[in-house]
Every structure is written in structure tokens, then in C-alpha cells.
């Protein structure tokens, strides 16, 4: 069973802090890794994706990938109350069009 | 563009009933997907399509059927509804050449089977 694991949270951080969200995956052959944000009652929105080991930055967001440890993380700098949402990690495990999603981490940013 | 649209927004079904969830996109996207999301869980792929006339199973296809007769529409059919199919259903689409890297999600259909 191919799995993607996330801590369900909630992760609570004060406004302006760095929020660190983590995700592990079971399949060493996984190719690409995605972070989605989902507000309550809404559909998921893609934040960013990463293919290669290391860091990828997009504005206040940084994705970090370590394939040896089968670990991908999302850092949110200068967290804002509007960042409060559930963050879903997803992994593409082969060359197909299938994504395996984690169950998400709920982030609360306190004003 | 309206993007990805889904109807209905909410539906209650009795056990054993059937229904079709509608999904349409006006962005000329080749790839379309159906996901379900159970409460507090991530999304699970039900079916996907890479173009008109081509569909394939995802992670949880049992109890569902799809068809793709046009580029724009990708309906999901539930036969003999069961309580286990209570979920929120999301349709998504991707432009040609971008596969799963860029998925545009519809607003979802909330289904309750009693």
C-alpha cells in the first residue's frame, strides 16, 4: 500500500512566525511532490510542486525535498491569519497521472 | 471562462439509488479527474481521462462509472448508492502537456447517502 503520511495537527503558530509542515511517503520511486492548500469547505489549490532534492522557493513558501529520507516539507515564512487552512501533501509515484494524497495538516495562525 | 463547474452542489440519496455527478470545463483541457474526499482525509482518485473516449481507473473506482464523449464533459455515475459513498466529490482538469502538475479543481459536490 503506497502511503503519504502527515500529522493532522492542528499546528498553531503566531502571526509572523515560520510554519513548518511535514510529509513522509512510502514509495522510493516517487517522482514529484505537491503541496495544496484547502480552506474549509473549498476545493484544493496548488501552492507548489518540487521534483529534485533540495529547496524550492516561491514567495513566502519554500518546499524542501529529501528523497533519501523520503521526506518533503513546506515552510511558510511570515505566517498570516489568512494562511490558516489545511495543507495537503500529494505524491506522484510513477509516470501515470495518479496522485496519492496525505490526509492533511491543519494550520492555525494566531493574530 | 467559467473554469471547472460541477452540479449539483449538494445531494441526498437513499441507499440503492443512482445518480450522475456532472463536471464540465471550458478551458479545452485534455485531462480530467474525479476525486473523493472523506471527512478529515485527503483526496482519493476515482477515475481519470486523458482525452475524449479514454478513461482509466484510479485508486478507488469500485461503485462508480465514467464516460468522456466530449473534451468538455466528464460525468461520474454512481450505481446503487451506499453509505460508504458519502463524501465530497471534486472534479479537476489539466491543460495539455501539464498532466497532474497543474490541476484546476471544481467547487465540489457534497453527497450524503442515507
Amino acid at each position: 500500500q503506497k502511503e503519504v503520511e502527515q500529522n493532522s495537527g492542528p499546528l498553531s503558530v503566531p502571526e509572523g512566525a515560520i510554519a513548518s509542515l511535514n510529509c513522509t511517503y512510502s514509495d522510493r520511486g516517487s517522482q514529484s511532490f505537491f503541496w495544496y492548500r484547502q480552506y474549509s469547505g473549498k476545493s484544493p489549490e496548488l501552492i507548489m510542486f518540487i521534483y529534485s532534492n533540495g529547496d524550492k522557493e516561491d514567495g513566502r513558501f519554500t518546499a524542501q525535498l529529501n528523497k533519501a529520507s523520503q521526506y518533503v516539507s513546506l515552510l511558510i515564512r511570515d505566517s498570516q491569519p489568512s494562511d490558516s487552512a489545511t495543507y495537503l501533501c500529494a505524491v506522484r509515484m510513477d509516470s501515470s497521472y495518479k496522485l496519492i494524497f496525505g490526509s492533511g495538516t491543519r494550520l492555525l495562525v494566531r493574530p | 471562462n467559467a473554469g471547472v463547474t460541477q452540479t449539483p452542489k449538494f445531494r441526498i440519496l437513499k441507499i440503492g439509488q443512482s445518480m450522475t455527478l456532472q463536471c464540465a470545463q471550458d478551458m479545452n483541457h485534455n485531462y480530467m479527474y474525479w476525486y473523493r474526499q472523506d471527512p478529515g482525509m485527503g483526496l482519493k482518485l476515482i477515475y481519470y481521462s486523458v482525452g475524449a473516449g479514454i478513461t482509466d481507473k484510479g485508486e478507488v473506482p469500485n461503485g462508480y462509472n465514467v464516460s468522456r464523449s466530449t473534451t468538455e464533459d466528464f460525468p461520474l455515475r454512481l450505481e446503487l448508492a451506499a453509505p460508504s459513498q458519502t463524501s465530497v466529490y471534486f472534479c479537476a482538469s489539466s491543460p495539455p502537456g501539464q498532466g497532474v502538475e497543474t490541476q484546476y479543481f471544481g467547487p465540489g459536490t457534497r453527497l450524503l447517502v442515507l
Side-chain angles (χ1 to χ4, degrees):
Chain A
Q1 179 78 9
K2 297 177 180 178
E3 295 182 343
V4 176
E5 300 285 345
Q6 294 182 259
N7 188 315
S8 61
L11 172 66
S12 181
V13 301
E15 184 175 354
I18 296 175
S20 178
L21 303 160
N22 305 315
C23 172
T24 59
Y25 57 94
S26 62
D27 188 338
R28 285 196 171 273
S30 298
Q31 299 187 356
S32 41
F33 308 85
F34 302 80
W35 283 101
Y36 285 83
R37 177 176 62 198
Q38 187 175 28
Y39 293 111
S40 181
K42 301 296 185 182
S43 54
E45 307 168 86
L46 180 68
I47 299 172
M48 62 193 307
F49 57 85
I50 185 168
Y51 297 125
S52 304
N53 276 331
D55 295 358
K56 180 180 178 182
E57 188 174 317
D58 185 357
R60 296 187 296 113
F61 299 97
T62 299
Q64 299 176 319
L65 175 61
N66 184 328
K67 289 188 176 180
S69 300
Q70 296 176 241
Y71 178 96
V72 58
S73 64
L74 180 71
L75 302 179
I76 306 175
R77 289 182 299 281
D78 189 23
S79 295
Q80 300 298 309
S82 58
D83 294 325
S84 297
T86 296
Y87 289 79
L88 300 169
C89 173
V91 177
R92 181 168 141 182
M93 295 186 174
D94 51 36
S95 59
S96 76
Y97 299 97
K98 301 177 185 178
L99 290 183
I100 306 296
F101 281 81
S103 57
T105 298
R106 186 171 165 225
L107 173 66
L108 295 175
V109 181
R110 307 187 306 272
Chain B
N1 289 347
V4 180
T5 57
Q6 294 184 238
T7 56
K9 290 184 179 178
F10 177 65
R11 180 78 181 267
I12 299 175
L13 277 184
K14 294 182 178 179
I15 294 172
Q17 287 186 320
S18 300
M19 76 165 293
T20 299
L21 282 67
Q22 301 291 344
C23 173
Q25 53 85 17
D26 61 356
M27 299 175 282
N28 202 31
H29 287 177
N30 284 23
Y31 308 127
M32 297 187 74
Y33 315 82
W34 273 108
Y35 293 92
R36 60 176 285 173
Q37 185 175 32
D38 298 335
M41 303 297 289
L43 283 71
K44 292 188 183 295
L45 182 66
I46 306 172
Y47 272 94
Y48 66 99
S49 169
V50 300
I54 306 170
T55 62
D56 205 350
K57 295 178 181 179
E59 201 178 348
V60 289
N62 291 345
Y64 306 95
N65 279 300
V66 293
S67 58
R68 184 95 182 270
S69 56
T70 67
T71 299
E72 293 78 20
D73 301 297
F74 190 38
L76 178 71
R77 178 81 176 164
L78 277 72
E79 305 283 1
L80 299 174
S84 60
Q85 293 178 304
T86 293
S87 192
V88 179
Y89 291 82
F90 290 104
C91 179
S93 69
S94 301
Q98 296 190 30
V100 297
E101 277 72 15
T102 308
Q103 292 191 65
Y104 295 84
F105 282 86
T109 293
R110 187 174 299 272
L111 177 66
L112 180 59
V113 181
L114 298 175

